[in-house]
Structures are given as C-alpha cells and as structure tokens.
Amino acid sequence: MPFAWKTVNFWPGDGLQAGYGDQMDVGLKLESTTPIAYQLAYYHADDWGETSTDTVDDNGHWGSSTTFRKVQTLVGNVDLPLSSQHTLSLSAQAGRLQSLVPMMEQAVDGAHHAVALHYHGDFDAWYLKAEVIHASRDMPDNYLASTAGLAEEIVNQRAGFELGYRSGQWFWYLDAHAAMPDTDGSNADTVYSYSPGFSYDYGPGWIYVEYLGQTGFVDRNGQVGEGDFDAFYVSMDFYL
C-alpha cells in the first residue's frame, strides 16, 4: 500500500505490475482505518542518492541512473468495505520524472500518472485479489532527445489476479497478470505472466519456491514488449 497491491514475492519480480507494486521509496505516509480506511503518501525519490533508482521492488521499471528516475510522487488509496469478506479500493498516483542523461541538464520536466481499481476478498483460509491499472508517462525532454524512436507519451493498461491459500506455516499462491499496450506506434500485443508457487514460514523469514512464465515484459520506460521467458526460483529471506 497505498497503490493497489504487490505480488506475494517481490523477488524474483513483480510480474507485469512492473513497478506499480513498489512502495519502498523515500517519503512519508499517513493512514487511517476509521471512519473510512485510507492511505496517503508522498515519495520524494526512489532512493537516498541524487541519481539513484536502485530500490528492490521496482525491478528496474523506473529508469536508471543514466536515463531518468521517478520523483515528487503523491499516492493515495481508499478502501470501501462491501462486507466483512469483500473490499473494493481505488488508488491513484501522480508525480514527476527527472532526466539523468549524462552531460545533459537533470531537468524535472517529465510526469507519470496511474489509477487502479482493485478488489480483495477473504474466505477463511483462501483469499482473492484482482486489479485493473491505467498507467501513463510523459518522458523527460532530455531523455527523449537521447533515445531514438521512443514515444513522448507511453500508455498502457494492466490487469492482475492473485489467489492464495494458507495452512499453518505453508502458503500456496498464484499471481497472474496481463499488460495491454496503448502507446501510439506500438506493435506489441497483449502480454501475460503467471507465477504459481508456495512459501514456508520458518521463523525469522520465508522460503519461496515458484515458477515464473511470461509472454512479454514491461521495460524501464513503461513500454510493453513481447518475448517469452520461463524460470524456476528458490529464494529465502531473513529478518532480525
């Protein structure tokens, strides 16, 4: 939170959410659960460095230290409980993009916007999540000037689905996403990703085993592209 939801396991990736599950930036957040649950945050930059874009959860989807980065971003979310089991939520974010092209002015003249409608249902040991996201970026002028053929405005839609089942220290899940390009000049079709897996809570962290399959990707500019990818991952985290 506060923008939609993130995948179960941020490593190896966030599927085709592609940066919109990332809430690990430097900033401030305000939240309340009564009378209506809401979250409001301001993220000044991706990370502490003046040119850093190296946050774990965005998986390289917000530029790089030699291209551009996300800055000055306001994010909000409102949860509307439909019943004790069903919640419908609306998220929105808007911010700026700063050019980081070497030997050129680091101007903050780009912008990004996104809105998400998402659902969360709890059914005892099971839960279900679904979302649709509309995302757009107006790329910084200096970055556009240094990048041949890139559209000034990049637009696409995302859809996501997550199903989970809890049993003691075990958790079984499926993350699935689609990304639909809507950028002028794009020749890509709708692409898909799916990631079935399970995790085990061993105490100070979790062990994850999951398969990741994709028929396409979202690059660091936010542009949808086609390309098959399959991998099997075993990962482990530890917290003090």
Side-chain angles (χ1 to χ4, degrees):
M1 286 295 188
F3 189 84
W5 45 267
K6 63 192 300 181
T7 56
V8 173
N9 186 9
F10 63 76
W11 182 260
D14 56 357
L16 297 175
Q17 282 181 327
Y20 287 99
D22 176 18
Q23 302 299 333
M24 303 298 289
D25 298 342
V26 175
L28 301 170
K29 185 168 78 170
L30 174 69
E31 57 184 308
S32 174
T33 57
T34 56
I36 296 177
Y38 71 85
Q39 303 85 36
L40 183 66
Y42 173 75
Y43 297 119
H44 189 69
D46 267 1
D47 212 338
W48 297 101
E50 292 183 2
T51 62
S52 176
T53 62
D54 186 22
T55 51
V56 173
D57 291 11
D58 66 18
N59 281 279
H61 289 118
W62 289 101
S64 71
S65 60
T66 59
T67 56
F68 69 93
R69 69 171 182 165
K70 175 179 60 173
V71 295
Q72 301 171 19
T73 299
L74 186 65
V75 189
N77 178 77
V78 177
D79 298 318
L80 304 173
L82 305 178
S83 71
S84 60
Q85 292 180 304
H86 307 279
T87 302
L88 188 65
S89 305
L90 180 66
S91 300
Q93 67 172 270
R96 309 296 302 277
L97 298 175
Q98 178 184 15
S99 174
L100 298 177
V101 178
M103 309 301 292
M104 299 181 75
E105 181 185 359
Q106 295 183 353
V108 184
D109 55 9
H112 67 93
H113 309 84
V115 61
L117 182 66
H118 51 110
Y119 162 82
H120 188 174
D122 272 305
F123 311 95
D124 297 321
W126 294 87
Y127 78 80
L128 173 67
K129 294 181 181 179
E131 67 181 351
V132 289
I133 300 174
H134 171 81
S136 67
R137 298 183 185 183
D138 295 307
M139 307 308 290
D141 291 341
N142 287 341
Y143 178 54
L144 279 172
S146 68
T147 308
L150 183 65
E152 179 178 352
E153 182 181 24
I154 295 174
V155 183
N156 53 66
Q157 331 301 328
R158 321 274 177 86
F161 170 87
E162 184 175 289
L163 179 66
Y165 175 76
R166 305 179 184 91
S167 179
Q169 293 167 287
W170 295 90
F171 176 50
W172 303 82
Y173 59 90
L174 169 66
D175 274 312
H177 293 90
M180 297 141 280
D182 198 18
T183 302
D184 288 344
S186 173
N187 295 318
D189 291 326
T190 298
V191 300
Y192 302 92
S193 73
Y194 53 96
S195 185
F198 66 88
S199 67
Y200 176 74
D201 181 356
Y202 70 95
W206 291 264
I207 299 171
Y208 297 90
V209 178
E210 74 179 30
Y211 171 81
L212 175 63
Q214 294 185 200
T215 65
F217 59 90
V218 179
D219 67 15
R220 68 183 173 200
N221 300 317
Q223 187 82 292
V224 176
E226 297 178 34
D228 293 331
F229 177 81
D230 297 273
F232 178 76
Y233 293 92
V234 178
S235 54
M236 175 178 174
D237 52 27
F238 176 84
Y239 299 94
L240 295 176

